[in-house]
Amino acid sequence: MKLRFRPGLRLLTLLFFFLAGSGLVGGRLVQVQGLDARRFVALAADQRERRFVLPPQRGSILDRSGGELAMSLDMQTIVANPRFVPDRDGAAKAIAAALGVDEGSMRKKLGSPGGFVYLARKVDPAVAARVKDLRIPGVETFTESKRVYPAGRLASQVVGFAGLDNEGLEGLERQYDRRLRGTPGELLIERDPTGLSIPSGVHQSTPSQPGEDLVLTLDREIQYQAQIALATAVESWHAQAGSIIVMEPATGDVLAMANAPDFDPNAVGGSAGSDRRNRAVVDVYEPGSASKVVTAAAALETGVVKPTDVLQVPDEYKVANRVFHDAHPHRTENLTFADIIEQSSNVGTIKVAQRLGKDRLHYWLDAFGYGRKPGIGFPGETGGILPKPDKWWPTSMGTVPIGQGVAVSALQIASVYATVANGGVAVPPRLVDATIDASGKRHEAPRGESRRVIRPETATTLTRILLRVTEGEHGTAKAAAIPGYQVAGKTGTAQKARTDGRGYQGYVASFIGFAPASNPRLVVAVVLDNPSPIWGGVTAAPAFKDVMQFSLRRLGIGPGPVLSPIADPSGSVGKTGSPLPAPGRSGDVAPDPGLAPPPTGETAD
Amino acid sequence: MALSDVDLQARVQPEPHHYEPPYEPRHALPRPVLRVVAPPKWSKGRPGMAFVVVSALTVGAIVLGLVVLNVLVAQKSFRLADLNKAVQVEQTRSQQLRYQVATAGSPDAVAEAARRLGLVPPERQEFLVK
């Protein structure tokens, strides 16, 4: 049977469907063009446009004369989308051969289920070109910056290193990461369906800002010599480790900071964590006799003793319930204070310290920087250990004056001698001299505030006493003497505290000195961890001589006028006839406002 | 012979000259005076032909211009890409050379080269003082 509709009804039905369809289309139109317009615009843009981050070039790290210690190179990274690689086995074989790597590992990478895999990161452009020439579908290359260290192991613990993604992980690379890193840029381009850039499409580029260059105070020639001398000393004396610091006392500039063992920052993966530590800044040790210079400075500055005052010095002495010995047995002797320092007598030093008392001794240790960070801001920088007087043991008046029971870093002890060498003015040490921004403008690094610690006269007197350590008949460091120059310094042979805090095991040997004594231009500190023999005058002093001699020659520093050692009745007039200038001694530096005035008069315990 | 619908329709339609307008009284409106007007001189051919030709030429010229412009931009873009690539290659080369200089100039390398040449550190040094 045929259905028949009235024409009017048929037209109404059609009209209904037409209006309903139109309504749907219209509604969708309103949704796409109006309500969800932004989303669709974004989707469309996302399909056509692509944003690329333009990584900035990391700044270089240079020595004081512009020699590059760390720099960045453009390398090629090879990636693949395994889904688009037609013959994975064949591709793995060819790529492995081009890269010179194991075929199995390459096959494993190309066999991964994902859509992205690194085949090799930051390889030489020539190597990447070999892979590119294979024209394997799904394999691409792009440029990535790689951190390299052209001087290899030179100052490796100071410079530190950056990770695979160019972020500073250790050393100055970490400390100055923000400044070295730079600011990333951005590139926005419009692409066709094949991924190629549309020439007339969107093309917006914000260039990246390269990081700042870092100019260090290090002199790479002196640094190299320090590392060679240290490696030789560590090997010769079977030491576990060691540090050498070369410093300009007048400016605080650190010219060399060597540590052994060291590591190659170009192959960080193969190094031990302990080898990467900048021991000179982050490790503490009990300085032993090298610390007697502080006791001596305090005693001279406060006037409790004069260089020529005579003390009766037996070879052992009881403080509280403990007996302290000199290094070698001897009869009770009448020694001047200068003799005591020259011979590094523990007993004599303790007796002088008892005249000072613990509060004044603590004050001067604090004034010389014990227990305070030197202020270079290096990651992990230590301030050493200086217990407050109320925490001292009854035996501390026996241990602290001779440098046990307190701890410092090699940098701190170098700064102590730099203060004496600088006429009693402490100048904060510096590792960074300046930064150079992207436009090539140099910005000097701020200098810390200098502070007077002892009077210039005290510094000169102490220098004349310390001369005898290398020149005197009973001096403990004749091996540190440099022909033609006068060297003032002090040995240290200290017991090494166990890491578990239970007593001592082993020794730390050191020699810290400065030259030329009449007008000190350089301070060198040598610290050896557990050498054999244990004596600083035997093990550390020769390394000091090597480094100091080289540094004086390198910087063209002459011997200068001669300074008479303390026992010389002719006084402090140079034998060349010229009156001695106070060595680097500007007497106009204000006392440290942060320090309370020294305590006066106290009964020794 | 059967007639088609068209023929049939043609037969039933009255001839145009038989058309009679609806009746209007003749005295209602004055009859307008009509005259024959000559066709405009510019439309002697088919009317609108010139417009079509000019429009086509204009559109063609514009399209051609755009294509040429696009090709030129594309060419410049490829040239720019090539130059950028060349700059990148030269930058990489410059960096590599800088690295080689820095490596060769490092104290370690210099000391090694000096040793190879037979140089030794001086045993002693002298200062001349006026």
Side-chain angles (χ1 to χ4, degrees):
Chain A
M1 192 182 77
K2 230 175 176 181
L3 283 173
R4 292 181 69 85
F5 292 100
R6 282 183 300 160
L9 183 62
R10 195 165 54 197
L11 280 174
L12 276 175
T13 309
L14 279 173
L15 182 63
F16 171 76
F17 281 113
F18 176 76
L19 286 177
S22 298
L24 283 173
V25 171
R28 181 69 176 156
L29 190 69
V30 170
Q31 185 201 5
V32 170
Q33 295 289 340
L35 301 177
D36 285 346
R38 284 186 182 183
R39 187 167 71 87
F40 284 106
V41 167
L43 279 173
D46 191 45
Q47 214 170 32
R48 294 191 327 271
E49 294 171 4
R50 189 164 172 198
R51 281 174 202 278
F52 294 92
V53 174
L54 302 176
Q57 183 89 355
R58 193 172 173 85
S60 296
I61 299 180
L62 315 166
D63 87 330
R64 65 192 293 138
S65 50
E68 277 161 320
L69 302 175
M71 59 191 290
S72 294
L73 293 182
D74 282 347
M75 299 300 229
Q76 292 295 307
T77 289
I78 305 166
V79 297
N81 185 341
R83 292 172 191 158
F84 295 150
V85 179
D87 173 17
R88 292 186 190 180
D89 285 345
K93 190 175 180 184
I95 295 170
L99 291 175
V101 298
D102 174 46
E103 190 185 320
S105 68
M106 196 53 64
R107 191 174 288 127
K108 196 175 170 187
K109 285 178 180 175
L110 285 175
S112 62
F116 178 89
V117 65
Y118 282 112
L119 300 183
R121 281 194 80 176
K122 302 185 179 181
V123 296
D124 192 89
V127 175
R130 289 207 294 266
V131 176
K132 229 173 175 177
D133 289 344
L134 296 172
R135 299 180 184 281
I136 299 171
V139 176
E140 287 180 32
T141 63
F142 64 90
T143 303
E144 270 195 308
S145 183
K146 183 184 180 183
R147 199 66 166 162
V148 290
Y149 302 89
R153 294 171 178 268
L154 199 78
S156 52
Q157 292 103 337
V158 177
V159 172
F161 60 91
L164 197 58
D165 292 319
N166 287 328
E167 75 285 14
L169 295 181
E170 283 194 20
L172 294 172
E173 288 271 33
R174 181 174 166 191
Q175 184 183 349
Y176 287 89
D177 187 47
R178 206 168 50 83
R179 304 185 77 155
L180 286 165
R181 195 189 300 157
T183 313
E186 191 184 71
L187 174 65
L188 175 67
I189 57 166
E190 199 170 358
R191 300 177 306 163
D192 66 11
T194 61
L196 291 174
S197 167
I198 300 171
S200 55
V202 177
H203 192 282
Q204 293 170 6
S205 173
T206 312
S208 59
Q209 287 292 317
E212 294 176 40
D213 290 343
L214 213 57
V215 184
L216 307 188
T217 58
L218 297 183
D219 180 302
R220 63 179 180 172
E221 307 296 336
I222 296 175
Q223 176 73 30
Y224 174 72
Q225 190 62 28
Q227 287 190 208
I228 293 290
L230 181 61
T232 306
V234 166
E235 192 186 340
S236 303
W237 309 115
H238 313 291
Q240 288 174 5
S243 297
I244 291 182
I245 289 176
V246 182
M247 206 171 155
E248 279 183 347
T251 59
D253 287 358
V254 176
L255 302 183
M257 186 177 275
N259 297 282
D262 57 15
F263 76 105
D264 183 356
N266 292 307
V268 178
S271 62
S274 57
D275 295 352
R276 301 199 294 260
R277 215 168 57 228
N278 186 358
R279 297 167 186 272
V281 179
V282 306
D283 280 10
V284 294
Y285 77 105
E286 297 188 26
S289 299
S291 186
K292 286 173 185 166
V293 75
V294 178
T295 309
L300 292 169
E301 183 74 8
T302 52
V304 299
V305 73
K306 290 189 183 65
T308 49
D309 284 356
V310 177
L311 285 88
Q312 273 203 334
V313 182
D315 64 350
E316 61 178 41
Y317 190 66
K318 194 171 182 184
V319 179
N321 59 350
R322 187 171 159 194
V323 178
F324 290 84
H325 301 270
D326 273 344
H328 303 288
H330 60 83
R331 291 174 306 166
T332 299
E333 291 174 338
N334 291 326
L335 299 178
T336 64
F337 180 57
D339 293 335
I340 287 169
I341 299 300
E342 178 190 342
Q343 297 175 31
S344 197
S345 166
N346 291 335
V347 172
T349 308
I350 292 168
K351 289 182 89 170
V352 170
Q354 285 183 325
R355 295 186 185 181
L356 276 169
K358 69 175 180 182
D359 284 339
R360 280 199 288 189
L361 183 56
H362 178 273
Y363 170 86
W364 288 106
L365 287 165
D366 178 44
F368 271 99
Y370 283 50
R372 297 176 179 204
K373 287 184 182 178
I376 58 170
F378 197 86
E381 178 185 13
T382 180
I385 301 166
L386 174 63
K388 291 200 180 320
D390 57 351
K391 303 282 184 198
W392 286 19
W393 298 94
T395 53
S396 292
M397 272 311 289
T399 57
V400 174
I402 60 171
Q404 300 274 178
V406 288
V408 290
S409 64
L411 181 61
Q412 279 180 292
I413 199 73
S415 297
V416 168
Y417 281 75
T419 301
V420 177
N422 198 36
V425 176
V427 179
R430 299 195 321 150
L431 263 176
V432 175
D433 191 34
T435 54
I436 299 173
D437 66 21
S439 65
K441 194 174 174 190
R442 187 182 165 101
H443 305 273
E444 297 300 321
R447 292 174 185 273
E449 259 186 54
S450 301
R451 60 190 172 90
R452 173 159 295 286
V453 179
I454 52 174
R455 288 173 293 136
E457 305 80 50
T458 307
T460 306
T461 306
L462 194 53
T463 302
R464 292 173 62 207
I465 293 174
L466 293 176
L467 264 180
R468 292 178 47 173
V469 175
T470 61
E471 294 182 2
E473 188 186 344
H474 302 289
T476 54
K478 289 179 183 167
I482 298 170
Y485 287 86
Q486 285 189 297
V487 174
K490 183 73 191 77
T491 52
T493 304
Q495 286 184 294
K496 185 180 165 186
R498 288 165 56 115
T499 49
D500 60 7
R502 297 183 175 187
Y504 292 92
Q505 188 175 33
Y507 289 85
V508 176
S510 60
F511 183 84
I512 303 103
F514 48 86
S518 58
N519 184 17
R521 298 277 304 278
L522 294 173
V523 171
V524 174
V526 180
V527 180
L528 296 176
D529 183 359
N530 222 12
S532 176
I534 60 172
W535 310 109
V538 177
T539 56
F544 168 90
K545 180 191 169 187
D546 281 354
V547 176
M548 180 62 94
Q549 196 166 22
F550 177 86
S551 305
L552 291 167
R553 189 189 303 152
R554 157 96 177 138
L555 301 175
I557 298 170
V562 176
L563 183 67
S564 303
I566 203 73
D568 189 337
S570 61
S572 62
V573 176
K575 286 177 185 169
T576 53
S578 58
L580 269 180
R585 325 198 183 247
S586 48
D588 52 353
V589 180
D592 177 17
L595 279 175
T600 52
E602 187 203 52
T603 313
D605 40 350
Chain B
M1 190 179 75
L3 289 172
S4 69
D5 287 346
V6 176
D7 292 336
L8 197 61
Q9 205 173 20
R11 287 194 179 190
V12 296
Q13 288 289 330
E15 290 296 317
H17 59 270
H18 292 298
Y19 173 70
E20 285 184 13
Y23 170 79
E24 280 181 8
R26 288 177 184 256
H27 62 270
L29 289 169
R31 182 176 179 163
V33 179
L34 301 174
R35 60 186 174 86
V36 177
V37 178
K41 284 180 182 172
W42 49 265
S43 64
K44 275 184 180 169
R46 291 175 61 188
M49 194 60 195
F51 174 74
V52 170
V53 169
V54 170
S55 298
L57 284 174
T58 308
V59 169
I62 289 171
V63 168
L64 189 68
L66 282 174
V67 168
V68 169
L69 188 67
N70 209 31
V71 167
L72 286 175
V73 169
Q75 271 184 341
K76 294 289 176 195
S77 171
F78 286 128
R79 172 92 178 121
L80 186 66
D82 287 346
L83 286 174
N84 277 336
K85 209 175 207 175
V87 167
Q88 178 70 37
V89 168
E90 291 306 318
Q91 264 178 358
T92 304
R93 193 159 161 267
S94 155
Q95 285 174 0
Q96 294 283 353
L97 291 173
R98 242 179 66 207
Y99 178 60
Q100 283 175 21
V101 169
T103 307
S106 74
D108 200 10
V110 172
E112 181 55 39
R115 265 194 297 274
R116 273 203 312 274
L117 293 169
L119 300 179
V120 292
E123 284 298 314
R124 53 180 293 182
Q125 57 183 316
E126 302 283 342
F127 286 89
L128 298 177
V129 182
K130 275 204 292 192

